[in-house]
Amino acid sequence: MSESKTGIIALLTDFGTRDYFVGAMKGVILSINCEAQIVDITHEIEPQNIKSAAFTLKSCYRNFPEKTIFVAVVDPGVGSNRKAIIVETEKYYFVAPDNGLLSFIYDETKDFRVYELTNKKYFLPSVSRTFHGRDIFAPVAAHLSRGVKPNELGAEIKDYIKLSGNQPRRISANIIEGEIIHTDHFGNLITNLTAEDLPEKFVLRVGEREITKAVEYFAEAETGEIFVIAGSAGNLEIAAFKDSAAKILKARTGMNIRLEKL
Amino acid sequence: MSESKTGIIALLTDFGTRDYFVGAMKGVILSINCEAQIVDITHEIEPQNIKSAAFTLKSCYRNFPEKTIFVAVVDPGVGSNRKAIIVETEKYYFVAPDNGLLSFIYDETKDFRVYELTNKKYFLPSVSRTFHGRDIFAPVAAHLSRGVKPNELGAEIKDYIKLSGNQPRRISANIIEGEIIHTDHFGNLITNLTAEDLPEKFVLRVGEREITKAVEYFAEAETGEIFVIAGSAGNLEIAAFKDSAAKILKARTGMNIRLEKL
Amino acid sequence: MSESKTGIIALLTDFGTRDYFVGAMKGVILSINCEAQIVDITHEIEPQNIKSAAFTLKSCYRNFPEKTIFVAVVDPGVGSNRKAIIVETEKYYFVAPDNGLLSFIYDETKDFRVYELTNKKYFLPSVSRTFHGRDIFAPVAAHLSRGVKPNELGAEIKDYIKLSGNQPRRISANIIEGEIIHTDHFGNLITNLTAEDLPEKFVLRVGEREITKAVEYFAEAETGEIFVIAGSAGNLEIAAFKDSAAKILKARTGMNIRLEKL
């Protein structure tokens, strides 16, 4: 639609929103490029949950305009010898620690290059051992938004870390086992199954509970009723109308689920 | 003061801030208009509480410059046959589901028009059944900010939904019954009464508790003391100095209150 | 790096993010200067905790570009006769209530001037007794960003309020007593001691617990292990790898700590 520009820097972290962390990152970015347009995706990824960060970024990055620079910092290994990387695709840039957070990009994208961030010229002058969001990732993103090229930031690497996917397992012709990979703000339980996995007649087991109802939209159900729905990120979700499925089912991220065709 | 422009898009939702929902909406807006200036009012409206959303928007929209586009998405009926609308007033645009969220505009504004959003040209190419914030409301707001006119988005309608107001009821010459319509971050209880309703000598009953003190500003009271104050949104509030009135009184949104003149 | 400009207005408050408060401030700013670039540092300072607000602002303001205007509103005395002030340093502007929140500026900065905000021309036309964030601080910051000078906002004052610092006390040659001054989102306990205070061999007492391990980066420790680390704000922090030190130690802001050299 409108012409793409490189000034958009979208942030996703587990830093929370009540400390100086996010403010420091934004200050660093604006000190380097005061025209940068900073967008908060979220700063409330569950602390150090790399899979949840990956799910969240994967679910929205395609909505952003070309040349958007994503800065994703969920970084339990900060200060150790884990690498810092930038991934360049045909459309986007992703700046992150090399801990598997960007695995979905490697799966979904045909043409991409991964560079290790080593050129200290684009870091803050003093790099702490505990806050690379401020000292490395933010300044690198800001320099990128001013036209610095990925290959100026460091050398291309091939040994980046890729997490083995959380793929559902087919147990038998009629049974698939999956997992709850995210619990959202409404208490909806997002699974790693997709709408295509859902037979017309089914039983979905979550702990002790059996779910047999599927709906197309929330208001189709009764208040408090538990059902399965094709979520807006493409995944199958377990939800309750005007209520929290997570609370009702006492379920949470990481639990196994079992889908049986009847 | 400064010249108005149409690029400001102010968001109010119940989507929370820890998922990809808000990021997706912002990405969609920036993909259509990369010059849009996105402002978060809040994304923490109590899930599906239309009245609380209405109170929040009503309390701040007049502070925004002319031509601001408000996108208000608290939408329990998403995916059903509830309409999506845009309301145009002399000063502002409001994009929302047609569920009564904008009732206060119909009350407070003389000249306004309501259009049903039906022109799919201004939606995302594929519209989900569960996330119209991303698929309909965000792109419509972005197109509007680029100069699309409300009547290009759909036909004017007259049968929009208006919630019957939460007006206090006069029980007798000396007694008014009202309601707590919102509990804020500080635990202040916002009522549907106004400062004009408050006699010089009074008893305000909240559950078992009787409040007889009114102050003009917080620091006038002792720490923990409960009092009545004219809030900054124009409503009468029940508050405690440096403490949470909601916790002390075990009170919450929806509770009735009774004001008696002495 | 890039040329400084005056359009950046960075907000730090205890208003929370679920009410209309922050939206109202942003609307007021944009109504006066629609080109202003508003940055949220945080709105989740513990309600009315001036020390925590000071620590947070102190830990990130230097990351912002020159001429940034900081608006810091933690204001238990709102509506009383406490002054509203602007502090001008060589690099920045700070707009805040005169309650000690900006004490660290007075300590860290050589050249600064403090002005009392008295010129009602730069306030909203009607000033409430409870919400100066919207009615005084936001409009003053916006006018400042349009070129109004501090001395047009009011007269210079010398009797501004300065909190006595929370300095650690040396009890004996080998013992220093300090305090936990902030608990962050990860449950890390930030103290008023610095890395220089830490001897090679030490015991740090927090309540019943004794800590004897120091690390340089988080991943150096075992999951759940408690240690001391030089934090990214320069303070000594008590932390746990992939866990919350605050929860494990049942510790919180305000608690005393005792560091003994062995």
Side-chain angles (χ1 to χ4, degrees):
Chain A
M1 292 271 177
S2 66
E3 206 175 48
S4 62
K5 58 169 200 176
T6 56
I8 296 173
I9 298 178
L11 308 178
L12 180 145
T13 78
D14 65 351
F15 293 162
T17 52
R18 62 192 185 86
D19 294 295
Y20 68 90
F21 308 136
V22 173
M25 287 182 71
K26 292 176 178 176
V28 166
I29 290 169
L30 293 169
S31 290
I32 293 167
N33 181 3
C34 71
E35 303 289 332
Q37 198 171 354
I38 301 170
V39 178
D40 297 305
I41 296 177
T42 180
H43 300 287
E44 291 162 69
I45 298 296
E46 190 192 340
Q48 297 156 346
N49 190 329
I50 293 167
K51 281 185 189 176
S52 188
F55 169 77
T56 304
L57 185 52
K58 175 188 159 123
S59 298
C60 69
Y61 79 96
R62 286 193 211 80
N63 294 122
F64 281 82
E66 284 195 27
K67 299 193 184 167
T68 294
I69 299 161
F70 295 94
V71 180
V73 192
V74 174
D75 193 10
V78 62
S80 72
N81 61 357
R82 70 102 185 88
K83 291 176 182 125
I85 56 172
I86 173 166
V87 180
E88 179 182 23
T89 72
E90 271 185 84
K91 286 195 167 179
Y92 301 116
Y93 300 104
F94 299 86
V95 180
D98 180 34
N99 59 19
L101 203 166
L102 300 176
S103 298
F104 65 96
I105 301 293
Y106 313 144
D107 283 333
E108 294 184 352
T109 312
K110 247 193 357 226
D111 284 330
F112 66 90
R113 287 163 185 271
V114 182
Y115 302 85
E116 184 178 356
L117 302 174
T118 52
N119 191 342
K120 293 198 166 74
K121 178 177 159 192
Y122 301 111
F123 300 173
L124 286 201
S126 164
V127 171
S128 72
R129 299 296 293 262
T130 57
F131 193 9
H132 289 187
R134 174 192 61 191
D135 303 338
I136 294 180
F137 299 114
V140 158
H143 284 292
L144 209 59
S145 75
R146 284 167 60 95
V148 170
K149 298 292 166 215
N151 63 12
E152 301 177 65
L153 298 165
E156 193 175 346
I157 61 170
K158 297 289 185 192
D159 61 340
Y160 48 84
I161 290 172
K162 192 177 154 179
L163 295 180
S164 57
N166 285 56
Q167 297 308 318
R169 281 159 300 145
R170 182 161 290 281
I171 303 298
S172 71
N174 289 331
I175 298 181
I176 310 176
E177 266 192 10
E179 195 183 323
I180 296 168
I181 57 168
H182 185 75
T183 307
D184 77 13
H185 168 70
F186 297 99
N188 299 332
L189 302 159
I190 291 90
T191 75
N192 60 349
L193 304 180
T194 65
E196 290 80 57
D197 293 322
L198 197 71
E200 208 181 335
K201 292 193 127 191
F202 67 91
V203 180
L204 180 71
R205 283 190 183 76
V206 187
E208 304 285 293
R209 189 75 169 254
E210 303 193 339
I211 302 159
T212 54
K213 175 161 187 163
V215 303
E216 281 190 51
Y217 55 92
F218 286 92
E220 222 177 300
E222 307 290 320
T223 297
E225 192 181 14
I226 300 279
F227 51 84
V228 169
I229 188 167
S232 49
N235 301 48
L236 214 58
E237 301 183 9
I238 302 163
F241 184 49
K242 292 197 177 179
D243 211 329
S244 162
K247 273 195 190 156
I248 294 173
L249 298 175
K250 296 190 179 62
R252 54 192 188 74
T253 304
M255 276 179 67
N256 287 327
I257 56 172
R258 175 184 277 243
L259 179 67
E260 184 173 356
K261 185 181 167 181
L262 294 186
Chain B
M1 292 269 178
S2 65
E3 207 176 47
S4 62
K5 58 170 199 175
T6 56
I8 297 172
I9 298 178
L11 308 178
L12 178 146
T13 77
D14 64 352
F15 292 161
T17 52
R18 62 193 186 84
D19 294 294
Y20 68 89
F21 308 136
V22 172
M25 287 182 71
K26 292 177 178 175
V28 167
I29 289 169
L30 293 168
S31 290
I32 293 166
N33 180 4
C34 71
E35 303 289 333
Q37 199 171 352
I38 301 171
V39 179
D40 296 305
I41 296 176
T42 181
H43 299 287
E44 292 164 68
I45 297 295
E46 189 192 340
Q48 296 155 346
N49 189 331
I50 294 167
K51 281 185 189 177
S52 188
F55 169 77
T56 304
L57 185 53
K58 174 187 158 124
S59 298
C60 68
Y61 78 95
R62 284 193 211 81
N63 294 122
F64 281 82
E66 286 196 25
K67 299 194 185 164
T68 294
I69 298 162
F70 296 93
V71 180
V73 192
V74 174
D75 193 11
V78 63
S80 72
N81 60 358
R82 71 100 186 88
K83 292 176 183 126
I85 55 172
I86 173 166
V87 180
E88 179 182 23
T89 71
E90 271 185 85
K91 287 195 167 180
Y92 302 115
Y93 300 104
F94 300 86
V95 180
D98 180 34
N99 59 18
L101 203 166
L102 300 176
S103 298
F104 65 96
I105 302 292
Y106 313 144
D107 283 331
E108 294 183 352
T109 312
K110 245 190 2 221
D111 284 329
F112 66 89
R113 285 163 187 272
V114 183
Y115 301 85
E116 184 177 357
L117 303 174
T118 53
N119 191 342
K120 293 196 166 76
K121 179 176 159 192
Y122 300 111
F123 300 171
L124 287 201
S126 163
V127 172
S128 72
R129 299 296 293 259
T130 57
F131 192 9
H132 289 186
R134 175 192 62 192
D135 304 337
I136 294 180
F137 299 115
V140 158
H143 283 292
L144 208 59
S145 75
R146 284 168 59 94
V148 170
K149 298 293 165 214
N151 63 13
E152 301 178 64
L153 299 165
E156 194 176 347
I157 60 169
K158 297 291 185 190
D159 62 340
Y160 49 83
I161 288 173
K162 192 176 154 181
L163 295 180
S164 57
N166 284 55
Q167 297 308 320
R169 281 160 300 144
R170 183 160 291 280
I171 303 297
S172 71
N174 288 332
I175 299 181
I176 309 177
E177 266 191 11
E179 195 183 325
I180 296 168
I181 57 168
H182 185 76
T183 306
D184 77 14
H185 169 70
F186 297 98
N188 300 330
L189 303 159
I190 291 89
T191 76
N192 60 350
L193 305 180
T194 65
E196 290 80 58
D197 293 323
L198 198 70
E200 207 180 337
K201 293 194 127 190
F202 68 90
V203 181
L204 180 71
R205 284 189 182 77
V206 188
E208 303 285 292
R209 188 74 169 254
E210 302 192 340
I211 302 160
T212 54
K213 175 160 186 164
V215 304
E216 280 190 53
Y217 55 93
F218 286 91
E220 222 178 300
E222 307 291 319
T223 297
E225 190 181 17
I226 300 279
F227 52 84
V228 168
I229 188 167
S232 49
N235 300 48
L236 215 58
E237 301 183 8
I238 302 162
F241 184 49
K242 292 197 178 181
D243 211 328
S244 162
K247 273 193 190 158
I248 295 174
L249 298 176
K250 296 189 179 64
R252 55 192 187 74
T253 304
M255 276 179 66
N256 287 327
I257 55 171
R258 174 184 277 242
L259 179 66
E260 185 174 357
K261 185 181 169 182
L262 295 187
Chain C
M1 292 270 176
S2 66
E3 206 176 49
S4 61
K5 59 170 200 176
T6 56
I8 297 173
I9 298 177
L11 307 179
L12 179 146
T13 77
D14 65 351
F15 293 161
T17 52
R18 61 192 186 85
D19 294 294
Y20 68 89
F21 307 136
V22 173
M25 286 182 72
K26 291 176 177 176
V28 166
I29 289 169
L30 293 168
S31 290
I32 293 167
N33 181 4
C34 70
E35 303 289 333
Q37 199 170 354
I38 301 170
V39 179
D40 296 306
I41 296 176
T42 181
H43 299 287
E44 291 164 68
I45 298 295
E46 188 191 341
Q48 296 156 346
N49 190 330
I50 293 167
K51 282 185 189 176
S52 188
F55 169 77
T56 305
L57 185 52
K58 173 187 160 125
S59 298
C60 69
Y61 78 96
R62 285 194 211 79
N63 294 122
F64 281 82
E66 285 196 26
K67 300 195 184 165
T68 295
I69 298 161
F70 295 94
V71 180
V73 192
V74 175
D75 193 10
V78 62
S80 72
N81 60 358
R82 71 99 187 87
K83 290 173 183 131
I85 56 173
I86 174 166
V87 179
E88 179 182 23
T89 72
E90 271 185 84
K91 286 194 167 180
Y92 300 115
Y93 300 103
F94 298 86
V95 180
D98 180 34
N99 59 19
L101 204 166
L102 300 176
S103 299
F104 66 96
I105 301 293
Y106 313 145
D107 283 331
E108 295 184 352
T109 312
K110 244 188 6 218
D111 284 330
F112 66 89
R113 286 163 186 271
V114 183
Y115 302 85
E116 183 176 358
L117 302 174
T118 52
N119 191 343
K120 294 196 165 76
K121 179 176 160 191
Y122 300 111
F123 300 171
L124 287 201
S126 164
V127 172
S128 73
R129 298 297 291 262
T130 56
F131 192 9
H132 289 186
R134 175 192 63 192
D135 303 337
I136 294 181
F137 298 115
V140 158
H143 283 292
L144 208 58
S145 75
R146 284 167 59 96
V148 170
K149 299 292 165 216
N151 63 13
E152 301 177 66
L153 298 165
E156 194 176 347
I157 61 169
K158 296 291 184 190
D159 61 342
Y160 48 83
I161 289 173
K162 192 176 154 180
L163 294 181
S164 56
N166 285 55
Q167 297 308 319
R169 279 159 301 143
R170 183 161 291 281
I171 303 296
S172 71
N174 289 332
I175 299 181
I176 310 177
E177 266 192 12
E179 194 183 325
I180 297 168
I181 57 168
H182 185 76
T183 306
D184 78 13
H185 169 70
F186 296 99
N188 300 330
L189 303 160
I190 291 90
T191 76
N192 59 351
L193 304 180
T194 66
E196 290 82 56
D197 293 323
L198 197 70
E200 207 179 335
K201 293 194 127 191
F202 68 91
V203 181
L204 180 71
R205 284 188 181 78
V206 187
E208 303 285 293
R209 189 73 169 254
E210 301 193 340
I211 303 160
T212 54
K213 174 162 187 161
V215 304
E216 280 190 54
Y217 55 92
F218 286 92
E220 221 177 299
E222 308 290 321
T223 297
E225 191 182 14
I226 299 280
F227 52 84
V228 168
I229 188 167
S232 49
N235 300 50
L236 215 58
E237 300 184 9
I238 303 162
F241 184 49
K242 292 196 178 181
D243 211 329
S244 162
K247 273 194 190 156
I248 294 173
L249 298 176
K250 296 189 180 65
R252 55 191 187 74
T253 304
M255 275 179 68
N256 287 327
I257 56 173
R258 175 184 276 242
L259 179 66
E260 184 173 356
K261 185 181 170 182
L262 294 187

